[in-house]
Amino acid sequence: MAAPPTGIELTTKYFFLNFVIVIFPLTIDIDGQKIKGKWGTHCYPVPPGSHSVTVSWKAYWLLSVCKGMMTVTLADGQVARLLYRSPWLFLLPGKLGPAPAPVQQ
């Protein structure tokens, strides 16, 4: 039987009045490898171990702003669920942390 995949599930959100930022590119950096990101929830496969995650977006396609950083440690078959929130003002840092647990009914 195959082990479940190990990875990082990243949800990215922005302040609702800043809806225009969806036209600017989102950058996800996992262990120094830059990935073109998209707003919403996406999964990124990574091997077990410690990983440095940085999320930011490019204001006016040039300036990397609203950077949020954190380090996660994963065991084999574990998925880290992270939540990135872009602030209301693009000069402020973004918030990257663990996503709230889903509500069980």
Side-chain angles (χ1 to χ4, degrees):
M1 179 184 280
T6 304
I8 297 171
E9 181 183 282
L10 179 64
T11 301
T12 54
K13 295 185 176 187
Y14 53 88
F15 185 64
F16 73 98
L17 291 176
N18 291 346
F19 60 90
V20 77
I21 72 171
V22 298
I23 66 171
F24 298 116
L26 187 66
T27 303
I28 300 159
D29 186 323
I30 300 175
D31 298 330
Q33 292 187 346
K34 294 194 185 296
I35 303 166
K36 276 188 167 182
K38 293 183 179 180
W39 294 96
T41 301
H42 300 281
C43 214
Y44 303 95
V46 293
S50 184
H51 301 282
S52 173
V53 180
T54 304
V55 182
S56 62
W57 56 277
K58 300 253 185 196
Y60 307 108
W61 297 276
L62 302 171
L63 203 58
S64 187
V65 296
C66 300
K67 192 177 285 189
M69 297 181 278
M70 96 176 284
T71 301
V72 295
T73 303
L74 299 172
D76 193 28
Q78 185 180 11
V79 175
R81 288 177 175 77
L82 304 180
L83 174 64
Y84 169 79
R85 290 184 186 265
S86 182
W88 66 274
L89 180 63
F90 77 94
L91 298 173
L92 298 173
K95 294 180 182 178
L96 179 62
V103 178
Q104 303 255 337
Q105 294 181 1

